[in-house]
Amino acid sequence: MNIIINGIQYEVEKGITILEACRKAGIDIPTLCHDDRLEPSSSCRMCLVEIEGSKKLVTSCSTLVKENMVVYTHSARVMEARKEVLDLLVSNHPMECLTCAKSGKCKLQDYCYEYGITEASYKGARRKPKIDTSNPFYDYDASKCILCGLCIRVCDELQGTSAIGFENRGFDVVVTTPFNEGLVNSKCVSCGNCVSVCPVGALTPKKQTYRHWETKKVRTTCSYCGVGCQMDLVVKENRVVGVEPANVVPNDGLLCVKGKFAYKFINHPDRLKTPLIKRNGKFEEASWDEAYRYIRRKVNEIKEENGPDAFAGLTSARCTNEENYLFQKLFRAVIGTNNVDHCARL
Amino acid sequence: MITVERLREIKEKQRPILEARLKEKDIATINEDGSIVLKGEYYERQVRIALKNCGIIDPYNIEDYIAVDGYSALADILMNKSRQEIIDDMKASNLRGRGGAGFPTGRKWEEAFKYDADQKYMICNADEGDPGAFMDRSILENDPHAVLEGMAIGGYAVGASKGFIYVRAEYPLAVKTLRVAIEQARELGILGNNIFGTDFSFDIELRLGSGAFVCGEGTALIESIEGKRGMPRTKVFRTAHKGLWQKPTIINNVETYANVPVIFQKGVDWFRSIGTEKSPGTKVFALVGKVENAGLVEVPMGMPLREIVYDIGGGVQDGKKFKAVQTGGPSGGCIPADLIDTPVDFESLDKIGSIMGSGGMVVMDEETCMVDIARFFLDFTVEESCGKCVPCREGTKRMLEILENIVAGKGEEGDIEKLERLSDTISSASLCGLGQTAANPVVTTIKYFRDEYEAHIKEKKCPAGSCQALVQYFITEKCIGCGACARACPVGCISGDKKERHVIDQDRCIKCGACMEACPPKVSAVVRR
Ligand SMILES: Cc1cc2nc3c(=O)[nH]c(=O)nc-3n(C[C@H](O)[C@H](O)[C@H](O)COP(=O)(O)O)c2cc1C
Ligand code: SF4
Ligand code: SF4
Ligand code: SF4
């Protein structure tokens, strides 16, 4: 199928949206409420494009390509509409960029820069600040919320928890929990997936102590379970200060509460960093070589005295399939017993 | 089980009973062709199709409906016509949706008819949320079976076995009549399995809406039936293909459905002989405002506004001057006096910036301030916006704020341009029809009454003398210094010596008008300006 975008012809697959076609062609279209993983919502109106023969502007996220469609993604009319949308958003936004934790990684800020919005044209009522700090891991500040709905849809469509939703109508809409009882009293499982998708500073991790440009990202695999979720550690001055999900297999940008928020053990003083060997009733630090030698000696001794079935092995849910495989191999082939099991079965 | 013979028997039994009742009450004329019309000039000037049984039959008695040929079209169709023929007839009739947009019903049905699916749905939109509109309500309360029959015919045509009527809970009487009607139709076998002994099965359920205007929008209505928050959906696919629970779904308005059985009874040619080429048939309007005879009127499309307002409505109340008429409710526009000869049909209204909408028609006289009218409608829209998309949620609020400032005398140079820019964005960038049409009252009043906006902003004057903040009470030289006004003023802001001309301290005046009433009529020295 052929379509013409900004005067250039492209061959595209049938059944994709204009937005997808543009992205494949390397044309950037701004979006605030879109996420490839979710049903299109078309609520932010930033992805509007002009189509020849159509009076109205259409949202590229929800319009399928048609043979010989002629699309303009950055025409004067489109740019004007996007600017006005940003202006309207900014006219109802606190503009606390100087102190906002999201600064430097905020889509609203980025688009205002791109579209040259320096200040709000409309001075009038503002959304009332309604801050929910009841969750132990993250906060919601309604005054900064642009009501893109991404948090609600992620919680519903991907996380499957449906803890949050919109309340009220029109100008008074806010994101909230049923009967306004606060996140801590809701079904929320604190997975933080809503925090990860929020394009602005409305949903933020508690006590964020960094600005985005001070950090670097280190891709790693979550160590909590065998799923192997990919994530980016947010690192400032060699300390892990946050975690962001990576949008790749197997987790597609999702994490659970442990992956997202339980990273503080990394720099915790109680954390074990070397093996410990008990000598004279007291644990003492040892090297890995020492530890392995000690284990091998003990295993041989016990096996000689009591036979291989004196051993039983139990692995952890934090091990991967590969690790579990190796573990049972160790027990069956090396030690010689079938006494091997996994904690997830208990 | 109902049969064609049984239907005829009921008709033959019930018809004389109905006629006797009408004769006794002396409210209707029975014509030679069997049609029945309500007596009185107001009704005789109208052409009633959708309202034809209203006020004539007993809505709680299905036999009354059958006595006026009710369900004969459905019976005939099920016995003698193929689904394709129904679609063809509907297309040929060019019946256009009466819910607002005027989309051709036949074409809509054809989309669902051609789309294969294991389940399809018919929905009747009875949410009627426009302020001042009560056309659908009247049909539901007085002739519910016409809607059921229209839905069943549609269900047969597109291949749907299930229908929903989404009716607002604020219409308790309509809900009751519908409940009774559905029950009676089920009892008689007109709803249910194997209707008239054919393999067509169809049943209807009620769903109550809780008073959100936006739930009248098709996709929001579907979300609401599905049990979700009533917010419009973005349409990747059309509703006729993927609607309720992602199945092919037809949504039509109450009045649209009420037209359907009559079209099949009297034929496509008859229907097309009424109204205009592009807008055949009639339309029901709720004629309200400063008009002598307010009420529901059903007239052929294409009738000039003047005839509706003057010949049927009896002109403006109290002999005042006609100023404008607002059609289409909060989504419509204001039509000024010099366009009063505009024919009322979809195209003509669209051309002058208004819409047919669901049929609201508010007449305004010379004392109506057009800026305030725009503010009034916008106030409604701001309340009713669902808040999903940015232009409507944020933009209409900003427009309202600007309009509120203008009528309060705080308008600024550049406000009109700001309103125009916002109108443009909201109309072209909003997600659903509510936002896309929200600016119409503002756009049309600026277009036709720009001088009124300018007077408010530049001279701080309301030419219609209706904006409280902008009127001034003023004592002219006719004053004889009797002091009656000063005694009447509740805030004591009038001063003056006996037999001398008095003055009002404008800064303290609360504009209650007590002085004007107190001034002896012979003197009439106080004026409002
Ligand atoms: C904000 C909004 C409110 C609406 N309210 C109603 C309504 O109350 N009743 C109705 O029939 N159509 C209403 N509509 C129009 C419906 O979306 C739809 O076009 C109509 O029900 C289709 O039926 P029709 O083709 O028979 O007119 C509304 C549309 C919008 C955008
Ligand atoms: S933390 Fe997870 S469960 Fe809680 S609201 Fe956010 S997405 Fe839903
Ligand atoms: S909290 Fe963030 S993700 Fe949720 S609606 Fe507001 S801006 Fe969007
Ligand atoms: S136009 Fe208004 S009512 Fe329609 S989706 Fe947008 S916010 Fe909701």
Side-chain angles (χ1 to χ4, degrees):
Chain A
M1 180 181 285
N2 286 301
I3 69 169
I4 297 170
I5 310 175
N6 302 335
I8 300 171
Q9 184 162 339
Y10 296 91
E11 170 130 20
V12 299
E13 298 155 54
K14 251 174 94 170
I16 63 170
T17 61
I18 298 175
L19 181 66
E20 286 165 325
C22 287
R23 294 213 165 140
K24 281 188 182 150
I27 299 164
D28 187 41
I29 294 195
T31 62
L32 285 169
C33 72
H34 184 75
D35 187 315
D36 286 336
R37 301 167 299 167
L38 303 170
E39 291 294 319
S41 153
S42 311
S43 57
C44 76
R45 318 307 281 175
M46 283 298 288
C47 75
L48 287 170
V49 295
E50 200 171 343
I51 294 181
E52 228 168 69
S54 159
K55 252 199 329 204
K56 275 186 285 181
L57 299 174
V58 304
T59 40
S60 56
C61 68
S62 64
T63 311
L64 302 180
V65 291
K66 278 204 196 104
E67 185 68 46
N68 296 327
M69 194 178 229
V70 180
V71 183
Y72 299 97
T73 60
H74 287 74
S75 66
R77 220 180 130 208
V78 168
M79 297 299 277
E80 209 40 57
R82 286 183 194 153
K83 275 188 190 169
E84 189 73 11
V85 165
L86 284 172
D87 195 347
L88 285 169
L89 283 175
V90 162
S91 296
N92 197 3
H93 201 76
M95 304 299 265
E96 290 166 358
C97 300
L98 294 183
T99 51
C100 180
K102 197 76 173 189
S103 192
K105 203 174 169 274
C106 168
K107 280 184 115 180
L108 185 62
Q109 199 180 44
D110 292 348
Y111 289 141
C112 283
Y113 173 75
E114 188 180 337
Y115 286 81
I117 306 295
T118 49
E119 65 173 330
S121 309
Y122 305 103
K123 316 233 172 322
R126 291 290 184 90
R127 184 165 300 112
K128 289 181 203 75
K130 181 167 160 277
I131 301 179
D132 185 345
T133 55
S134 67
N135 183 285
F137 303 104
Y138 66 94
D139 295 333
Y140 171 62
D141 177 352
S143 71
K144 289 184 184 167
C145 175
I146 57 168
L147 300 171
C148 67
L150 278 170
C151 52
I152 297 173
R153 288 180 287 138
V154 160
C155 187
D156 179 44
E157 292 177 37
L158 300 178
Q159 171 60 25
T161 303
S162 308
I164 48 179
F166 287 127
E167 177 195 63
N168 301 336
R169 274 201 299 239
F171 197 76
D172 301 323
V173 170
V174 284
V175 176
T176 186
T177 52
F179 309 108
N180 249 321
E181 287 181 339
L183 285 160
V184 80
N185 299 315
S186 74
K187 286 198 294 179
C188 171
V189 296
S190 301
C191 66
N193 289 316
C194 53
V195 178
S196 304
V197 290
C198 182
V200 294
L203 280 165
T204 46
K206 269 206 156 70
K207 293 197 208 92
Q208 183 180 318
T209 53
Y210 57 88
R211 316 227 68 195
H212 282 279
W213 51 85
E214 300 171 328
T215 64
K216 65 172 189 193
K217 303 251 174 76
V218 180
R219 177 67 52 94
T220 189
T221 305
C222 178
S223 61
Y224 274 110
C225 83
V227 172
C229 291
Q230 297 297 293
M231 56 199 215
D232 290 327
L233 300 176
V234 182
V235 179
K236 176 184 169 184
E237 288 160 5
N238 237 2
R239 293 173 75 86
V240 177
V241 290
V243 172
E244 284 165 12
N247 208 347
V248 293
V249 178
N251 52 317
D252 275 345
L254 300 177
L255 287 175
C256 76
V257 57
K258 292 191 274 183
K260 175 74 184 171
F261 293 116
Y263 56 85
K264 298 221 168 94
F265 70 92
I266 298 170
N267 299 316
H268 200 281
D270 288 354
R271 185 176 164 197
L272 298 184
K273 291 183 181 146
T274 64
L276 301 176
I277 297 178
K278 207 180 223 174
R279 295 190 180 108
N280 307 324
K282 253 178 75 191
F283 279 116
E284 285 175 9
E285 288 194 356
S287 72
W288 284 103
D289 261 1
E290 264 180 285
Y292 283 133
R293 245 180 279 129
Y294 183 74
I295 294 169
R296 199 180 59 195
R297 204 184 61 207
K298 280 288 194 191
V299 167
N300 285 337
E301 275 174 25
I302 295 169
K303 200 167 143 181
E304 220 150 87
E305 245 173 70
N306 305 305
D309 284 337
F311 292 93
L314 190 69
T315 58
S316 157
R318 293 184 64 164
C319 296
T320 62
N321 278 347
E322 292 78 1
E323 287 161 341
N324 280 316
Y325 175 79
L326 289 173
F327 188 80
Q328 64 82 34
K329 199 79 177 167
L330 174 76
F331 269 71
R332 292 200 169 103
V334 180
I335 297 177
T337 177
N338 283 326
N339 294 341
V340 59
D341 211 338
H342 184 274
C343 78
R345 233 163 57 83
L346 298 179
Chain B
M1 189 187 70
I2 186 86
T3 59
V4 178
E5 291 70 46
R6 177 91 187 94
L7 197 68
R8 193 178 314 122
E9 279 165 27
I10 296 175
K11 183 185 163 180
E12 277 162 14
K13 182 201 84 178
Q14 188 67 15
R15 179 82 189 191
I17 302 176
L18 172 68
E19 290 190 4
R21 186 177 347 120
L22 292 173
K23 276 206 188 94
E24 194 197 332
K25 288 204 216 151
D26 192 29
I27 49 165
T29 317
I30 300 163
N31 295 323
E32 265 172 35
D33 63 355
S35 62
I36 307 175
V37 267
L38 288 175
K39 284 187 178 168
E41 203 189 353
Y42 184 71
Y43 297 109
E44 280 153 10
R45 280 181 188 274
Q46 305 182 24
V47 175
R48 294 192 147 203
I49 298 176
L51 300 178
K52 80 179 179 42
N53 298 329
C54 294
I56 290 169
I57 62 168
D58 172 6
Y60 294 107
N61 184 355
I62 191 171
E63 300 193 342
D64 250 24
Y65 181 66
I66 294 171
V68 291
D69 289 327
Y71 292 117
S72 64
L74 178 65
D76 178 50
I77 283 168
L78 293 185
M79 295 298 148
N80 307 317
K81 287 200 167 169
S82 70
R83 296 167 56 196
Q84 181 70 55
E85 282 173 284
I86 307 299
I87 300 288
D88 291 344
D89 281 355
M90 278 309 282
K91 276 167 67 187
S93 78
N94 198 17
L95 170 66
R96 297 177 60 174
R98 304 298 198 236
F103 191 83
T105 307
R107 266 175 49 207
K108 197 191 280 190
W109 289 13
E110 186 176 37
E111 286 297 336
F113 165 67
K114 287 198 300 202
Y115 197 89
D116 249 347
D118 54 352
Q119 176 75 59
K120 300 181 187 180
Y121 297 104
M122 297 299 287
I123 296 178
C124 172
N125 188 342
D127 196 47
E128 196 163 56
D130 284 28
F134 49 103
M135 298 73 62
D136 295 347
R137 170 183 182 168
S138 183
I139 296 172
L140 298 171
E141 289 178 0
N142 293 295
D143 195 14
H145 288 285
V147 177
L148 305 189
E149 187 176 1
M151 287 178 77
I153 293 174
Y156 171 71
V158 307
S161 60
K162 180 123 199 119
F164 290 97
I165 301 179
Y166 188 87
V167 55
R168 58 200 317 236
E170 294 94 326
Y171 281 179
L173 193 58
V175 172
K176 188 174 154 204
T177 40
L178 281 170
R179 284 222 167 98
V180 173
I182 291 173
E183 212 35 62
Q184 291 185 351
R186 279 187 191 145
E187 256 167 43
L188 210 58
I190 284 174
L191 288 177
N193 289 334
N194 304 101
I195 301 169
F196 286 105
T198 64
D199 58 8
F200 173 60
S201 300
F202 189 73
D203 205 358
I204 295 175
E205 277 181 40
L206 289 187
R207 286 289 181 276
L208 303 198
S210 351
F213 174 58
V214 73
C215 283
E217 196 277 343
T219 57
L221 188 153
I222 287 177
E223 291 274 297
S224 177
I225 293 185
E226 288 182 5
K228 302 183 190 139
R229 179 181 157 91
M231 284 201 304
R233 277 184 195 165
T234 186
K235 278 193 201 168
V236 181
F237 304 97
R238 53 182 86 193
T239 308
H241 294 171
K242 292 191 177 175
L244 188 58
W245 292 301
Q246 298 299 319
K247 299 290 180 193
T249 303
I250 293 296
I251 301 187
N252 276 127
N253 165 260
V254 171
E255 190 183 331
T256 313
Y257 281 125
N259 271 282
V260 172
V262 194
I263 293 176
F264 286 97
Q265 268 169 35
K266 302 203 175 177
V268 169
D269 292 336
W270 167 83
F271 185 73
R272 296 213 54 149
S273 70
I274 302 163
T276 67
E277 173 65 25
K278 286 195 171 146
S279 307
T282 57
K283 176 78 194 90
V284 184
F285 295 98
L287 187 61
V288 295
K290 306 280 178 62
V291 65
E292 202 61 52
N293 310 321
L296 285 187
V297 295
E298 181 170 358
V299 294
M301 296 243 211
M303 179 180 271
L305 255 180
R306 179 190 298 279
E307 273 181 50
I308 301 178
V309 175
Y310 284 94
D311 297 355
I312 298 176
V316 182
Q317 270 173 8
D318 305 329
K320 295 231 172 75
K321 223 174 109 199
F322 172 82
K323 182 168 188 179
V325 56
Q326 159 90 11
T327 66
S331 330
C334 282
I335 302 171
D338 52 357
L339 292 175
I340 193 172
D341 288 311
T342 308
V344 181
D345 56 61
F346 291 105
E347 281 74 26
S348 310
L349 289 181
D350 189 53
K351 227 179 276 162
I352 57 174
S354 189
I355 59 165
M356 179 87 79
S358 54
M361 205 173 255
V362 188
V363 176
M364 297 161 199
D365 67 14
E366 55 198 326
E367 286 175 7
T368 316
C369 169
M370 300 317 278
V371 186
D372 196 46
I373 281 293
R375 185 204 56 78
F376 170 82
F377 280 115
L378 219 62
D379 192 46
F380 176 82
T381 320
V382 168
E383 272 293 302
E384 295 297 331
S385 159
C386 81
K388 179 169 179 174
C389 72
V390 180
C392 172
R393 179 184 72 232
E394 310 285 339
T396 54
K397 174 80 172 178
R398 299 305 170 210
M399 283 182 98
L400 177 62
E401 287 174 341
I402 296 173
L403 289 167
E404 280 172 346
N405 278 340
I406 296 178
V407 297
K410 295 186 214 135
E412 290 169 12
E413 199 74 39
D415 276 354
I416 301 184
E417 290 69 25
K418 267 191 184 171
L419 285 174
E420 286 175 328
R421 199 172 86 208
L422 279 167
S423 300
D424 234 29
T425 309
I426 298 169
S427 309
S428 63
S430 290
L431 196 163
C432 85
L434 190 149
Q436 286 160 12
T437 57
N440 282 352
V442 180
V443 174
T444 49
T445 47
I446 292 182
K447 183 169 169 195
Y448 298 120
F449 301 94
R450 199 183 181 99
D451 51 334
E452 281 194 37
Y453 278 84
E454 282 168 351
H456 281 76
I457 295 169
K458 293 190 188 141
E459 298 151 37
K460 308 288 175 221
K461 282 224 156 70
C462 173
S466 114
C467 292
Q468 273 293 326
L470 294 181
V471 298
Q472 258 192 6
Y473 288 89
F474 181 77
I475 302 176
T476 62
E477 64 266 29
K478 284 201 242 160
C479 175
I480 53 167
C482 71
C485 56
R487 285 191 295 278
C489 177
V491 291
C493 73
I494 302 177
S495 57
D497 291 333
K498 247 193 185 150
K499 305 225 167 119
E500 294 288 322
R501 178 174 168 190
H502 282 46
V503 249
I504 300 174
D505 178 351
Q506 295 298 340
D507 290 339
R508 285 165 57 213
C509 169
I510 57 162
K511 291 159 190 171
C512 66
C515 49
M516 197 165 170
E517 280 187 14
C519 187
K522 269 187 282 175
V523 184
S524 293
V526 184
V527 293
R528 200 167 97 139
R529 55 176 201 194

